Amino acid sequence: MLLEVNHLQTEFQLKHGTVKAVNDISFSIEKGEILAIVGESGSGKSVTSLSVMGLVQNPGKVVGGEILFKGEDLLKKSKAEMQAIRGDQISMIFQEPMTSLNPVYRIKDQIMESIMTHMKLSKKEAWERAVHMLEVVGIPSPRERAMDYPHQMSGGMRQRVMIAMALSCRPELLIADEPTTALDVTIQAQILDLLYHMREKFNMAVLLITHDLGVVSEAADRVIVMYCGQIVEEADVRSLFANPMHPYTLGLLKSIPRLEDESDGPLYMIKGMVPNPLKMPAGCPFSDRCDRCMERCRREAPALKEIDGHKVRCFLYDSETEEAQV
């Protein structure tokens, strides 16, 4: 197993209380696998990725669990050890390339910095590798474009630069946080094809963070659905789309427009809003928005249970609930 996260807990200590952004989640990724984490904004997706990278900023802090990368707990690593791992063995594509790329440095300098830091190459060798990586990710005239500043490139090109930078040291794990956000459909498809090709070429594992289930259906091997810092469902991508078990997952899927849908009415929308993290409901966090909410859901928090390889956090599949419905 390449990455194994066990009972991870990340909290933010705020003036008015504690926000449990990641609340006791566990998952694993094998080498060469694409695992997608989906959910609405505020579900804990990005904080999970930042926790793995060791980049959670104050007032946030990982307060429990373990993050095993090739059998070693990253939470026990020093800052210097994590700096050596980041960008080398584990890389990350951040959500917005325009804010992630430094506007006052040329593209070549930003890619070469990572290469020279981790691969100990000379400046000339780093330059050649930077040009090669720009060529790999499909940027035309890579030697000329390497001399550009970020503002001289389109959004799709900047995203390709971020991917080139992330892959420049051939990491074993790539974390892609909303890699297709704000890109048009054509460029989005190109970026997804590129990530898939890079996975095949380098046998690299990918942790894909997104809210777009269309992206998940095209790219992922397995899917984790998060809500309010918890995993509410986990399955392989075919099982999840063919047989969604949690009402939240079903709501997300019903919200996607379909070509075969002949209805001229409005799209389905999950009612209500994600609860305030400082005022979470007593029972299931999704209870106030759930179409199948029972009285028990408002009193107790369901546990994540496995049913034929499909994990779900819902009382609808609990034996006690099934007996009561008979």
Side-chain angles (χ1 to χ4, degrees):
M1 196 66 65
L2 183 65
L3 179 73
E4 191 171 354
V5 175
N6 297 315
H7 305 290
L8 179 65
Q9 299 176 63
T10 303
E11 298 180 353
F12 288 80
Q13 298 290 338
L14 305 179
K15 182 179 179 180
H16 299 293
T18 300
V19 173
K20 295 182 178 180
V22 177
N23 188 7
D24 192 18
I25 72 167
S26 300
F27 63 89
S28 60
I29 307 175
E30 296 182 1
K31 199 164 186 175
E33 180 182 32
I34 298 180
L35 173 67
I37 300 182
V38 301
E40 293 171 282
S41 296
S43 62
K45 308 184 303 297
S46 293
V47 177
T48 298
S49 65
L50 292 173
S51 299
V52 172
M53 292 291 288
L55 293 175
V56 177
Q57 300 293 316
N58 277 330
K61 186 179 181 182
V62 177
V63 297
E66 58 182 7
I67 302 170
L68 302 177
F69 180 69
K70 297 195 293 188
E72 297 184 7
D73 193 350
L74 298 182
L75 298 178
K76 295 179 180 178
K77 299 286 186 183
S78 65
K79 286 186 178 181
E81 288 173 324
M82 283 303 299
Q83 285 175 346
I85 292 172
R86 283 195 297 264
D88 183 16
Q89 299 177 60
I90 306 176
S91 283
M92 186 168 181
I93 303 171
F94 291 94
Q95 194 168 119
E96 176 46 62
M98 198 61 218
T99 57
S100 301
L101 292 170
N102 194 318
V104 301
Y105 287 99
R106 297 182 190 275
I107 295 301
K108 72 176 183 70
D109 297 320
Q110 301 188 54
I111 300 177
M112 288 171 62
E113 180 184 14
S114 175
I115 294 171
M116 293 173 70
T117 299
H118 295 291
M119 301 188 75
K120 310 300 181 186
L121 299 181
S122 67
K123 196 169 184 179
K124 183 179 180 181
E125 291 171 327
W127 159 250
E128 293 298 333
R129 181 158 184 81
V131 170
H132 172 68
M133 290 309 302
L134 290 176
E135 185 178 14
V136 166
V137 298
I139 291 183
S141 305
R143 290 184 183 275
E144 290 76 16
R145 298 316 301 266
M147 302 302 292
D148 287 348
Y149 290 94
H151 73 272
Q152 295 176 283
M153 291 184 159
S154 67
M157 295 282 270
R158 288 195 296 267
Q159 195 64 285
R160 288 173 184 268
V161 169
M162 287 294 297
I163 294 172
M165 193 182 304
L167 298 180
S168 60
C169 298
R170 295 194 179 178
E172 296 177 67
L173 173 64
L174 175 67
I175 299 175
D177 188 1
E178 303 278 8
T180 59
T181 296
L183 300 179
D184 62 56
V185 176
T186 303
I187 301 300
Q188 175 177 292
Q190 293 175 359
I191 295 298
L192 289 176
D193 286 343
L194 177 60
L195 284 177
Y196 198 84
H197 175 67
M198 293 295 101
R199 187 275 291 264
E200 294 292 313
K201 185 173 183 178
F202 300 123
N203 193 28
M204 174 183 66
V206 180
L207 179 60
L208 178 64
I209 312 290
T210 183
H211 63 270
D212 190 336
L213 283 166
V215 169
V216 170
S217 66
E218 291 183 34
D221 298 311
R222 283 191 302 119
V223 188
I224 286 173
V225 182
M226 287 189 69
Y227 187 77
C228 290
Q230 293 183 320
I231 294 174
V232 296
E233 188 164 358
E234 179 180 350
D236 67 84
V237 68
R238 288 182 180 273
S239 298
L240 187 100
F241 279 82
N243 181 33
M245 297 178 72
H246 197 281
Y248 178 58
T249 308
L250 187 60
L252 292 176
L253 289 170
K254 287 168 66 177
S255 302
I256 302 173
R258 300 178 186 277
L259 291 174
E260 64 270 19
D261 189 356
E262 298 180 358
S263 172
D264 57 357
L267 278 174
Y268 175 84
M269 183 175 68
I270 301 174
K271 64 183 180 182
M273 299 285 291
V274 176
N276 184 333
L278 293 172
K279 298 178 181 178
M280 294 294 290
C284 174
F286 191 61
S287 58
D288 290 340
R289 309 176 69 191
C290 183
D291 295 330
R292 303 184 66 182
C293 178
M294 301 171 286
E295 186 58 35
R296 183 185 182 190
C297 302
R298 300 189 186 280
R299 299 192 314 266
E300 304 174 41
L304 188 68
K305 63 184 300 184
E306 185 170 342
I307 303 172
D308 297 327
H310 200 131
K311 295 180 181 178
V312 62
R313 188 186 298 272
C314 185
F315 286 131
L316 289 172
Y317 308 96
D318 188 88
S319 57
E320 183 178 325
T321 302
E322 292 170 354
E323 289 171 6
Q325 291 176 335
V326 173

